[in-house]
Amino acid sequence: MNLFHQIKDDVIAVLDGLAASGGLPAGLDYARISVEPPRDVSHGDISTNAAMVLAKPAGMNPRELAGSIAEGMATLEFVTNTDVAGPGFINLTLTDNFWRQRLLDILRLGTDYGSSTVGEGRVVNVEYVSANPTGPMHVGHGRGAVVGDALASLLAKAGFKVTREYYINDAGAQVDALARSAHWRYREALGEALGEMPEGLYPGDYLVDVGADLAKAEGDKWQNADEGEWLEPIRDTVIDAMMALIRDDLAALGVEHDVFSSERKLVAAGAVDEVLTTLTERGLIYTGTLEPPKGKLPDDWEERPQTLFRSTNFGDDVDRPIKKSDGSWTYFATDMAYHLDKVKRGYPSMIDVWGADHGGYVKRVTAAVKALTDGEGALDVQLCQMVNLSEDGQPVKMSKRAGTFVTLREVIDRVGKDVVRFIMLTRKNDASLDFDLAKVTEQSRDNPVFYVQYSHARCRSVLRHATEMFCESELTPEALQAASLDRLGDVAELALIKSMAEWPRMVEAAAEAHEPHRVAYYLQELSAAFHALWTKGAREDETLRFINSEDKELTLARLALVQALAFVIASGLEVMGVVPVEEL
């Protein structure tokens, strides 16, 4: 239940009443009306801009209109005060009992609290990770995996129908280089002394086992054969092996995709040819030459005719080539086909999670989606900046296994998947992220993972200790709904309830903005409010302790508060893909 929707309905009912009585013109558009918490808590509990957005179309003074709306809202039983501020904001203060009743919503719904129907079942495709199948994933891939997976969960909680997709870039020069690297390891496994691996191949130890398996399965069949004989079968074998490795790494991170799409299969099915035909028919393909890229001197640039897509017609900076000089497709051409394929499969709404090094690629793909779908397809690209991996402030050296970087699996094995997932969401994805292997496992308030998990563990601890006073049947969420919640009257208790009541609104806002990091921020703020209340009872006012052996009625009310808090934290961690701990 999103209480802000409820109060917006109440505001609209007041407006409809004013229109019916002639105090407001009929037929006004209410779409821009917002109901939200005020920026300054001293202004009240709820603020609405209704008067400000309706005054001009109504031909009225905004403060006068605000006064009329405030007068109508003051008649509601849960409103204790109304105030018109500034140019026409309306601030409302609600009864303490209204806030206490929100605990009943949470206890009734459990971790489903915050689930919404705002998505209305609309389908959305979230494509993330999509690492080239040329080796194990690195930490940067892990950030994209977590951001994409949490965003998919967030959208699902907000009522969207989500498909998680992985695009396998298994065509092109990089997988041919991978096949040659595997063939090199295969020859080594047969006993050849080859020395140092040539440049342009993948030197990591992860291909040693692939080479050994090939030697065991094929003997010396391809040892001295021409590349034309072994390139394709070894390429198929090694891609399968690398995708098995990637799937295993993703599983260790708690990431599962619904769909794996293959670039090779897409090209083989003629999807790129179809794109060329479609765009040609629309007059969007031509042969021309491009200006040299920025930073190129004239004598470095070879001007030549190219097959170009008129991407500037759709917001791009320059038109883009779709064929290479050797006649093969550019990566852009296959990406055009891939996104059109997604739309044809029933996903006009698409979200791609890419690494920051693809930032210059966004405009052209967005332009292609507009051109190929006549504007019906929508693509949002979320870029993930670098992860700076360190330990006690010192950069972590590269992995021996990977050869050039620290693998994601090594980090997961070191600190655990839940720590990796939480930390990856402590910054907005387009900001760089510092990941210190030592600090992320510290048990201190400076470690956001510990801080939030500790709040949940504390809740569970309180509920366990309560079994010394009550039988278990009295402590179920259903039984706690009968607690005398009016006993919760301290400012800190009510502030905590108000923070919990914002969770449904947070889910919807974060989902619509495609910003899963907001969940981590929210949980940290909620945990701070809880720890502050805990400290207040432990150090300043013993009457605020959650368990009071001399007042069972008050204790049950506070246990209802604690159980509700545990549900909200668990709900948020669930979106993040993190398992809430029972104790620390």
Side-chain angles (χ1 to χ4, degrees), residues 154 329 422 445 581:
L154 180 62
W329 298 114
F422 198 107
R445 64 174 300 158
V581 299

Side-chain angles (χ1 to χ4, degrees), residues 500-520:
M500 285 189 270
E502 285 196 35
W503 173 231
R505 177 177 177 273
M506 172 60 65
V507 169
E508 294 180 359
E512 290 173 344
H514 299 170
E515 293 184 343
H517 70 280
R518 292 192 190 186
V519 176

Side-chain angles (χ1 to χ4, degrees), residues 68-218:
S68 298
I69 298 172
E71 185 178 339
M73 294 299 292
T75 64
L76 299 174
E77 62 178 0
F78 58 84
V79 175
T80 62
N81 186 60
T82 62
D83 177 59
V84 176
F89 284 107
I90 304 167
N91 295 323
L92 308 174
T93 301
L94 310 184
T95 66
D96 292 346
N97 190 56
F98 174 89
W99 293 111
R100 296 185 190 107
Q101 294 304 303
R102 305 289 68 80
L103 292 179
L104 298 180
D105 299 333
I106 302 170
L107 292 170
R108 184 177 68 255
L109 294 172
T111 55
D112 282 340
Y113 183 68
S115 297
S116 170
T117 59
V118 71
E120 298 178 327
R122 286 171 286 169
V123 296
V124 58
N125 180 290
V126 185
E127 182 232 315
Y128 54 105
V129 188
S130 300
N132 291 338
T134 53
M137 296 196 301
H138 56 63
V139 181
H141 293 138
R143 188 176 192 188
V146 171
V147 169
D149 204 49
L151 176 54
S153 295
L154 180 62
L155 289 166
K157 194 169 184 70
F160 292 86
K161 186 177 180 180
V162 182
T163 295
R164 294 164 157 91
E165 183 152 340
Y166 186 117
Y167 181 45
I168 308 172
N169 298 117
D170 53 359
Q174 82 277 2
V175 289
D176 288 346
L178 178 70
R180 296 185 184 105
S181 305
H183 186 259
W184 181 274
R185 295 300 190 189
Y186 158 73
R187 290 169 60 195
E188 282 186 333
L190 291 173
E192 287 192 52
L194 299 177
E196 189 175 348
M197 183 176 282
E199 282 191 31
L201 300 186
Y202 295 93
D205 289 348
Y206 56 87
L207 289 174
V208 171
D209 290 344
V210 176
D213 289 343
L214 283 169
K216 184 177 180 180
E218 304 295 344

Side-chain angles (χ1 to χ4, degrees), residues 85 96 126 144 147 200 211 224 261 281 288 363 509:
D96 292 346
V126 185
V147 169
N224 298 307
S261 294
E281 290 174 350
K363 281 189 176 181

